[in-house]
Every structure is written in structure tokens, then in C-alpha cells.
Amino acid sequence: MPHDTRRDGGITVKPTELDRTDRRILAVLQEDGRISAVDLAERIGLSPTATGERLRRLQKDGIIAGFTARLDPHRIDLGLLVFVEVSLDKTTPDVFEKFAEAVRHAPEVLECHMVAGGFDYLVKTRIGDMTAYRRFLGDVLLALPGVRETRTYAVMEEVKTDGPLPV
């Protein structure tokens, strides 16, 4: 997939043109990533061979980034979902880089996004309970390079999660 490297080390990806059939394939796969190639071909109205070729191209182009299993976090003792605003002590490229590198190695962090606005990063984590979150906050999050301040938002109810991308 064509891309340009940004000055901050990130990658800007140019979107790939997707036709209606590609979009139907992606929509079906987001509903059921384990669908057989034959069933997928039948659902989208193509031959299994043509469907397989499109799937390989979508994977090669990086549009299909992978296949995973979605786990029920409550069944594996990770029922507390928490979002944390993180403000850094300095907003310089080296501090951003050190924080980003360190947060990538924190397994409790599910997602971390640099944001524009009143703070620098938004972190998403899943933890067993508030006691475990307090340990994570003190032992992991506040120990990350450059962290000056955090604000915690414990989720009371998950209204919509893991929605499919609107293809």
C-alpha cells in the first residue's frame, strides 16, 4: 500500500480504492471473520476463486489487517474499562517519542491516542477492578516517561463496543 513517512516518524497511508464488491466482502468479514471462503463467495455473489483473489489482495494491501478472536472481558476478570487523560510535563518531540515507546510495552494499555485539546494522550485500559486499576495507575501509568498529570474515567456502562467500520 502506498505511504509517505511523516516528520514525526508516523506513517500517512493513502487510501486504496475499494469497489462495491470489496466493501461487501469487508462488511461480511466484520460480521463473521470465520466465514468460509465458499460461504463468503455465495454471500457476495462471486465465484470462490474470484473471492479468494480479492481476499488475498485486500490482505496484501493492508486493508484487512488480520483476524482475531473477540473475548468477553468479564469472563476473564477484566471487567473494568477505564479511559485516562494523560498530560505530559513537556510537549517536545523527544518526550512524545519516549512516552509512546514506553506505552507500547505496557500490556494493560489496549489503546493510546495522541489527541489535540486540553491533554496529550487518551489511554484505554481494561483491569479486573478498581484495586487493580490503582496499582496500574501507580506502578505503570504514572511511571511512564514525561507523565505530569492524569484524569481517570471509569466506565459505568458499555453502550456500544467494537462496532464495524462503515464500509
Side-chain angles (χ1 to χ4, degrees):
M1 175 176 273
H3 64 275
D4 298 321
T5 303
R6 296 188 319 222
R7 285 186 309 151
D8 65 2
I11 293 183
T12 302
V13 178
K14 295 178 182 172
T16 300
E17 290 295 322
L18 299 173
D19 66 17
R20 187 169 182 231
T21 303
D22 289 337
R23 292 178 188 283
R24 287 190 0 234
I25 289 171
L26 296 172
V28 170
L29 287 175
Q30 286 185 97
E31 289 173 21
D32 181 4
R34 292 181 52 137
I35 190 170
S36 73
V38 171
D39 289 343
L40 177 60
E42 187 176 303
R43 291 252 325 252
I44 63 167
L46 282 182
S47 71
T49 301
T51 301
E53 289 171 5
R54 282 179 179 260
L55 273 173
R56 281 188 290 284
R57 179 180 47 78
L58 291 167
Q59 288 175 307
K60 182 178 84 52
D61 289 351
I63 294 165
I64 297 175
F67 294 90
T68 62
R70 280 188 296 201
L71 308 179
D72 181 338
H74 301 277
R75 308 273 282 184
I76 57 173
D77 196 28
L78 295 173
L80 180 61
L81 177 60
V82 179
F83 290 91
V84 185
E85 294 177 356
V86 176
S87 296
L88 300 181
D89 55 9
K90 293 184 211 168
T91 54
T92 60
D94 64 314
V95 173
F96 286 140
E97 187 176 317
K98 287 176 185 170
F99 176 85
E101 182 60 31
V103 83
R104 285 184 189 104
H105 296 300
E108 303 89 347
V109 174
L110 302 178
E111 296 179 19
C112 178
H113 305 275
M114 179 188 275
V115 297
F119 55 96
D120 300 306
Y121 289 92
L122 183 63
V123 172
K124 176 182 176 182
T125 185
R126 274 211 175 267
I127 303 290
D129 57 25
M130 196 53 79
T131 301
Y133 175 70
R134 175 64 186 95
R135 265 193 313 274
F136 164 74
L137 180 64
D139 296 346
V140 177
L141 203 55
L142 293 174
L144 292 172
V147 173
R148 175 177 47 90
E149 180 180 15
T150 64
R151 287 198 177 92
T152 298
Y153 302 91
V155 173
M156 295 171 48
E157 178 183 359
E158 295 177 48
V159 177
K160 181 177 180 180
T161 63
D162 296 327
L165 295 175
V167 293

